Structure formats: C-alpha cells, structure tokens
Amino acid sequence: MIETLIQGILLGGYYAMLAAGLAFLYSVMGIINLAHGSFAVLAAYLVVGLAKHAGMDPFLAILLVLPVMAIIGMLVERLILEPSQRGGQLLAVLATFGLSVVLDNAMFQAYGANTQSLAPYVGDLSWASWEIGDIYIGKLAALTLVAAVAVLGGLQIFLSYTPLGRAIRATAQDSDTAGLVGIDTRRARMIATAVAFIAVGLAGAALGLRATFTPYAGTPQLLFAFQATVIGGTGSIWGTLLGGIVLGLAQTFGAEISTQGFFIGGNLVFFAVLFARLYSGSIRLPRFKTISGK
Amino acid sequence: MSQLEISNLTARHGLLTAVRDVSFGLEKGEILAIVGANGAGKSTLLRAIAGGHGDHVGDVSLDGTSLNGRKSHERVRRGLVLVPEGRRLFPRMTVEENLALGAQVGRSGEWTVGRVFEIFDNLVKRRNSKAQNLSGGEQQATAIGRALVTNPDVILFDEISLGLSPAIVDRVYSIMPRLRESQTSTIIVEQDLSRAMKVADRIICMLEGQAVLAGPTSELTREQIVDAYFGLSGSRGNGEAPA
C-alpha cells in the first residue's frame, strides 16, 4: 500500500514535468498546444542523437537541447501561433494539431519506426533504486519528481518576481493594455513560448530517460499532460504538480486492481474532476470564435 | 513647434468614422481638455494618439519626431502614455505589481512607485491587494500611478472622473498642479464641463468625430462650449481645431 502510494507520487512527478510546458502555455497565453507531446518526443530524439552520434553525456546533451527548444518555441510563436490566433483561438488549436501531424511524420521519416531510449547512456540510473526497509524508490523517478518541483518552482518565481514574468502575466491578462503601459507584448509572448518549450524539452528528456519512444509517442504523452493539467487546474503552477500526482496515484492504484486499471483509473479520475469542475463552474467550455467571427 | 502635434487624424471603427480629420497641438506643460458627448470620438482620438487604435490615418509627432507606425509600447518609451477609460488594471495583479509594470519601462524622472504611494496614500495599505478587489477610486489612483511611473512627457487621461464620487474626483484632480509644475503636458477627456474648465488651459469640444470648437479656457464661455457640445451652434468645424 505505502509502496504503491510512493510509486504513484513518483509517477506523478513525471506527469507534472510532462504537463509543465502545456499548463504554462495555456495559463499565460491561452493556447492549447496539441503538438506538445510531439515536441517532447522531438526533444527526446535530439538528446538521443547527441548521446548516440556525438558520444555526448546525456545530461550535457539535455542542456544543449534546451536552448534549441527555446528557439523552436520562438519560431513556432512567430510563424504559427501569432498569425493563427488572429483568426481566433480555435484556429490556433487546429494549427498546433496540424503541426503535430507534420512533426510526427517528419520524425518517422527522419528516425524510422525503431524504438529509442536514453536508458543505455545513463548507466544504472534508469533502473537503480534506493531500498528503504521493504520499500524501493527508483532513483530516476525520484530525480524526475525533484526536477519537476524545481521546474514548477522556477516557473512560479519567474512569473511572480521578475520584470519579464510580470510582463508576461500582464500580456496574458490584457494584451492591449499591456502595450499601453509600455510592454512589448510580441516579445513577451515569444519569451513565454520559449520558456514553455524549455519545459517541453525537459519533459522530452524525462520521457527518453524513463521509457522507450517512437515518432508517434507524442499523442499519449499529450493526453497524460492534458489530464494532469485539467485535474490540477490551470490557474496555478502548483496545481500542475498536484494534478500530476493525482493522475499518477489513480493509475498506480488502478494497476493494482487490474492490468487495464492503469488507464481506467487515470481516465476515471480525469473525467470525474473535469465534470466536477464543469458543473461547479470553476472551468467553462471555451467559446471559440468561428471563421465568420460569431 | 508644439510638443505633441496631431495632424489630420482620422480613426475608424469598421465602417464608422469615429474621428474625422482632427488637428491640434499641445504645448509643453499645457493642460488640454477634450470635451464632448458620448460617441463624440474623444476616447478613440486618445487611443489613436497612444497607438492603441490601429485603424487610423494622420500624423502624430512628439517633440518633432513622428510616431506614425510606432506601436503603443514604443510610444510609452518615448514619453507618451495613456490612462485608459475604465482604468484597465491587470485584475489578478497587486497594486504594487501594476505600478511596477509602469516603472519597468525604464524612463528616468521624478516619479517612482514610492512617490506614487506618497501622493495617493490611500494605496499604501492596499499595496498587496489584487486590483480586482479595489474600490473605483483606488483603481483610478493605481491606473494614474501606473502611468506616472513611466515618467511621461505627455500624459493622456481618458474619462478621468467617470464613475467616481466627487470626493474621489477631487483627490484624482489634485495631481494636476503637480503635473503642471513638472512641465508634463496633459490631455484630459472629461464629460464634466465644470471640472474641465477649472483645470484646463485650453479646451477642444468634439461632436460626431470632429473638433468643432477650440480655444483657451479664459476666452471661451460656458454657453459657447455647451452649444458646441450639443451641436446647437449651427456650425461644424472644418476638421482643424480653431486656435
């Protein structure tokens, strides 16, 4: 029971890491990035590529991939999100969906269907554990949870206490007025997207370290990230951590009941929280602007 | 040459022309009041000057430098700031954070967050309150403070007293002598004619998007302004505000 609880919390750390970029982009810019999982997989491929072909230490490779992800994020914002948002939020969501399809197939073309993983490059980290009495705590899972807390804490500090974070929050709340008080809203949006994509890069690294992946692994990762974000609520950075942990616990306890219980448990909690939020009015279904503008 | 020059400014809301071919200048340290009925185009004019209304043509120049094509944040950095109608604070940010946003523009000058708290001392105990929880007067003080800490050369107030009690309006207007002392040029859009005539050096009256009357406050009578305000004078301006 206690071990299941701990495994659930540790799994939740991975989901929180996975969801951080998605929740950040949604909460500060109102964009549901359906290409989130695909970009995480892309980051994982980039890290594996550096480790495999350049013989680089995987953790050094992660540090190198993060600025690349930031640049990709800025390009995505400038070339895809900003133009598509002029046509309404729905167009931006559809644009990210299209982007995920293109990205998945481009990765398939580039890397093939073989599974990849970072595990062979990190020694025993991916399977080693600490033994405390009868309880085993996976080192990688614990590291991922600590990293998730650090990332979410860093995002919270960045948004709350830095001038740039204030500018991003102001832009998210009222872009027109932000411009009228001297904030370069385009720059703020680009930086916010870059930060979100750095978080996506870390999520991809975590994926590569803990599991195998293929070019089409992005969709299930997106679903888990989306579930964690909805469960935790989009209003707070720490809600993402809570959402990830709740999802991890639901899946882990579900798996104790039956093999299919892993997914059923997570989905049940997700739908229960979603409907509770909808009926309580704490979240509302988005009203997308249609092509005709109505 | 005036500090702020507006030439042949026309602004539209879709098919509706809200401001028609308006021209005027604002001297350094001057307080100019723009009056007119609802829908006269006052707020659109101010937003167009501040760069917050995209659909406009005409020239806006500050200290001889054209601001045409400059976005609103660039105009703030050059010293032109708007206190928008309805305050438009960032509701989920605190008073202090709202003020800090203005301060991070980085223009040097006498206005700091601390000085704003000295002038509007009612904000001191509310400094950590979210803007959405403030009273109307506190919100207006915060909005004015947020504009002041950008240390502007020209400040535009849109509907400065709208929805506020007379006592609060007195407090808000108490800032005007300080602006005059610091040679900050000011445009106020005001529906309260008495207030406007009391504080302004010059008045422009707008009707249906046009400047139909303009002149020094000392040379205009209340009757002239009221006639222009309601379009009773029988004459419409030719677009250029009379000097």
Side-chain angles (χ1 to χ4, degrees):
Chain A
M1 176 72 176
I2 291 175
E3 182 154 13
T4 306
L5 188 71
I6 291 171
Q7 297 311 324
I9 291 171
L10 293 176
L11 180 60
Y14 168 67
Y15 289 144
M17 177 68 94
L18 195 59
L22 185 77
F24 183 80
L25 206 58
Y26 179 71
S27 63
V28 303
M29 289 174 62
I31 292 169
I32 301 169
N33 177 17
L34 295 183
H36 176 84
S38 302
F39 277 112
V41 172
L42 174 66
Y45 270 113
L46 293 176
V47 176
V48 168
L50 287 172
K52 185 190 270 184
H53 301 298
M56 195 176 283
D57 179 86
F59 291 99
L60 179 61
I62 292 169
L63 288 179
L64 283 181
V65 164
L66 295 184
V68 174
M69 293 304 294
I71 292 167
I72 291 172
M74 287 193 272
L75 290 173
V76 167
E77 158 60 19
R78 186 54 61 91
L79 301 177
I80 295 171
L81 297 179
E82 187 191 333
S84 60
Q85 272 200 309
R86 288 189 209 123
Q89 293 294 88
L90 180 58
L91 209 54
V93 174
L94 290 175
T96 63
F97 175 71
L99 187 59
S100 74
V101 172
V102 170
L103 203 54
D104 288 354
N105 288 292
M107 287 191 289
F108 181 73
Q109 186 72 28
Y111 300 111
N114 291 340
T115 56
Q116 301 282 349
S117 177
L118 270 172
Y121 309 101
V122 291
D124 65 354
L125 179 66
S126 59
W127 50 266
S129 60
W130 291 294
E131 188 178 345
I132 304 168
D134 293 336
I135 296 169
Y136 293 88
I137 296 174
K139 288 183 178 176
L140 179 61
L143 179 69
T144 305
L145 176 63
V146 170
V149 172
V151 167
L152 293 168
L155 287 176
Q156 182 77 63
I157 290 167
F158 169 68
L159 284 177
S160 299
Y161 301 110
T162 68
L164 201 50
R166 271 198 300 269
I168 288 170
R169 285 161 60 212
T171 302
Q173 288 181 37
D174 186 344
S175 181
D176 288 344
T177 304
L180 290 172
V181 298
I183 294 166
D184 183 347
T185 53
R186 280 188 97 192
R187 179 171 170 266
R189 289 174 58 89
M190 277 185 72
I191 291 169
T193 315
V195 170
F197 271 65
I198 288 172
V200 173
L202 287 168
L207 168 69
L209 285 166
R210 73 183 295 275
T212 58
F213 57 90
T214 66
Y216 296 106
T219 303
Q221 302 310 311
L222 169 69
L223 289 177
F224 292 144
F226 193 75
Q227 288 184 334
T229 303
V230 169
I231 292 170
T234 55
S236 117
I237 295 279
W238 294 112
T240 307
L241 180 64
L242 180 68
I245 288 174
V246 170
L247 180 64
L249 286 170
Q251 290 183 341
T252 311
F253 277 102
E256 288 287 302
I257 297 167
S258 80
T259 43
Q260 288 304 313
F262 181 83
F263 292 107
I264 292 171
N267 290 341
L268 278 177
V269 170
F270 166 68
F271 281 118
V273 173
L274 178 64
F275 284 113
R277 287 182 185 279
L278 281 172
Y279 281 108
S280 70
S282 64
I283 59 169
R284 291 180 185 159
L285 292 174
R287 292 186 178 181
F288 292 117
K289 192 164 77 175
T290 61
I291 301 298
S292 65
K294 292 179 181 172
Chain B
M1 183 177 52
S2 302
Q3 183 171 37
L4 180 71
E5 282 277 351
I6 310 299
S7 304
N8 307 111
L9 197 146
T10 295
R12 295 183 181 83
H13 288 290
L15 295 175
L16 175 74
T17 302
V19 177
R20 292 173 190 273
D21 211 18
V22 170
S23 302
F24 64 88
L26 180 70
E27 304 302 324
K28 191 171 176 63
E30 184 183 24
I31 298 178
L32 169 69
I34 299 178
V35 297
N38 280 335
K42 311 178 298 292
S43 295
T44 305
L45 173 62
L46 250 56
R47 288 186 68 83
I49 294 170
H53 184 86
D55 190 4
H56 73 271
V57 293
D59 296 322
V60 177
S61 62
L62 181 66
D63 293 322
T65 304
S66 173
L67 298 180
N68 295 342
R70 299 277 180 195
K71 293 189 180 302
S72 52
H73 73 272
E74 294 173 295
R75 298 184 188 208
V76 176
R77 287 173 189 180
R78 286 170 182 266
L80 174 66
V81 71
L82 169 70
V83 181
E85 182 183 0
R87 278 77 85 170
R88 303 283 294 268
L89 296 175
F90 300 105
R92 296 188 296 279
M93 298 174 84
T94 65
V95 169
E96 197 153 18
E97 286 177 324
N98 269 278
L99 295 176
L101 279 168
Q104 69 192 49
V105 168
R107 284 175 57 85
S108 59
E110 62 181 303
W111 290 101
T112 60
V113 172
R115 179 123 197 268
V116 169
F117 282 129
E118 281 174 24
I119 303 294
F120 297 113
D121 55 5
N122 57 327
L123 293 180
V124 173
K125 64 180 186 301
R126 306 286 272 158
R127 64 194 307 158
N128 294 317
S129 300
K130 296 262 170 67
Q132 63 193 2
N133 298 326
L134 303 178
S135 68
E138 289 166 342
Q139 286 189 2
Q140 186 65 290
T142 307
I144 292 171
R146 185 179 64 184
L148 289 174
V149 294
T150 66
N151 284 295
D153 297 324
V154 177
I155 186 166
L156 317 175
F157 293 101
D158 194 1
E159 301 287 9
I160 188 170
S161 62
L162 192 68
L164 302 180
S165 68
I168 300 294
V169 175
D170 284 343
R171 188 172 194 124
V172 167
Y173 266 95
S174 69
I175 199 74
M176 294 300 163
R178 293 172 199 273
L179 293 176
R180 199 190 296 274
E181 277 169 28
S182 62
Q183 289 286 290
T184 305
S185 311
T186 306
I187 300 179
I188 56 170
V189 157
E190 179 59 272
Q191 295 210 26
D192 182 339
L193 200 52
S194 301
R195 290 270 183 192
M197 292 185 75
K198 195 171 170 185
V199 73
D201 303 309
R202 204 150 52 91
I203 287 183
I204 291 177
C205 186
M206 289 187 70
L207 179 69
E208 296 174 2
Q210 291 180 296
V212 292
L213 179 74
T217 313
S218 56
E219 294 177 12
L220 294 174
T221 65
R222 188 180 178 85
E223 288 69 31
Q224 280 178 300
I225 298 171
V226 169
D227 283 352
Y229 193 104
F230 292 110
L232 302 176
S233 54
S235 64
R236 296 285 166 88
N238 60 3
E240 187 164 334

